[in-house]
Amino acid sequence: MRLSSVDLGQADTLDDGERQRAASLGSGIQRDRFLAGRIALRRHAAETAGMGAAGLRADYICRECRRGDRVHGMPRYQAGPSGPAVLASLSRAGDWCLLAATTDERVLGVGVDLEGSTAAGFDGFGLVALSEREREHLQRVEPALRPRFQTLLWTRKEAVLKALGRGLAAVDPALVDVAGPVPLLPGFLQAPAPPLVTGVPLAGGQEGSGQRWLVDAVDPESVGLPHSFMVAIALARTPGP
């Protein structure tokens, strides 16, 4: 959806910490887009959980720091004291945002990424962001199509890292190989930690256990986005039917 179409008057459905974080942002556009994204994501998570947006409590987890403010990091919500946990993901590009949410306890992480179709098409990208196998795949692509292919790989990497709850500030993107249907990851990224809600693990695998991945491109027009975007989604799931 367009961020500019979100009613910022619904900011009262956000947690105090989310509103405080928005107030700390400098520019009006940056602040408004942050608020719009959080409002839209909470509303989508609430629809997924079958309840009102005001009934959710933000329960974000950051695996890169110890702040523990519950409003930054991997998006998740608790639907009331006994309701389901909602894992979610948000990606912004200009005035557009892409949202995903699930209450499926078999899902360990969900990530989406949205980019302009040639956003990663610049020279030198492969040397800093691609694995050796990805660079080999890139060399087999016609030169005119390489900017789009590089961006496709980048959206897949971002989606996988979001599903793992990890950020590029702490993870070298060249270590995340998404050339195939299943990402190849270094040992310390083999599986996301189990989702936590009020400090209690949900049913799911522990760090390092086997999991199933779904990583795929999404037709942008199928989710209401202009065709000029590149979209990817990643799901990490516990093994099972």
Side-chain angles (χ1 to χ4, degrees):
M1 64 166 57
R2 284 190 178 273
L3 292 167
S4 58
S5 71
V6 176
D7 179 11
L8 297 184
Q10 295 181 16
D12 59 353
T13 64
L14 302 180
D15 289 3
D16 289 343
E18 293 177 290
R19 291 194 294 270
Q20 291 169 5
R21 186 177 176 196
S24 71
L25 299 175
S27 80
I29 293 177
Q30 184 184 18
R31 182 179 60 249
D32 288 353
R33 285 182 172 173
F34 173 84
L35 280 173
R38 286 299 180 96
I39 291 167
L41 185 61
R42 179 179 287 258
R43 191 167 63 196
H44 183 54
E47 291 173 356
T48 302
M51 63 184 302
L56 294 179
R57 178 175 58 82
D59 192 32
Y60 285 47
I61 296 293
C62 180
R63 306 202 194 284
E64 313 298 357
C65 73
R66 298 180 181 276
R67 280 164 54 188
D69 58 17
R70 299 291 179 179
V71 296
H72 84 284
M74 188 177 185
R76 63 185 71 201
Y77 299 90
Q78 175 64 32
S82 59
V86 186
L87 299 185
S89 185
L90 164 68
S91 184
R92 300 181 184 88
D95 188 41
W96 290 94
C97 72
L98 178 67
L99 312 166
T102 180
T103 57
D104 188 344
E105 290 190 359
R106 296 170 300 175
V107 175
L108 299 174
V110 56
V112 292
D113 191 52
L114 167 66
E115 305 283 349
S117 60
T118 58
F122 54 88
D123 291 340
F125 172 81
L127 295 177
V128 297
L130 299 184
S131 69
E132 181 178 353
R133 187 174 72 145
E134 289 168 338
R135 291 195 296 270
E136 291 174 355
H137 277 256
L138 180 64
Q139 291 305 309
R140 294 196 290 268
V141 175
E142 294 181 21
L145 299 179
R146 287 176 188 173
R148 286 185 60 87
F149 185 73
Q150 289 182 177
T151 304
L152 172 63
L153 291 173
W154 183 249
T155 58
R156 288 168 64 86
K157 285 177 187 281
E158 284 268 37
V160 166
L161 285 170
K162 288 180 179 181
L164 289 165
R166 305 302 299 270
L168 289 169
V171 179
D172 180 352
L175 297 178
V176 180
D177 186 313
V178 294
V182 177
L184 302 180
L185 306 168
F188 69 96
L189 288 180
Q190 284 300 318
L196 297 178
V197 180
T198 61
V200 180
L202 295 175
Q206 298 297 317
E207 187 76 17
S209 66
Q211 80 287 332
R212 291 183 177 178
W213 279 97
L214 166 67
V215 185
D216 207 353
V218 177
D219 176 5
E221 293 181 309
S222 71
V223 289
L225 289 163
H227 72 277
S228 58
F229 282 109
M230 193 79 74
V231 180
I233 184 169
L235 288 175
R237 299 177 294 190
T238 56

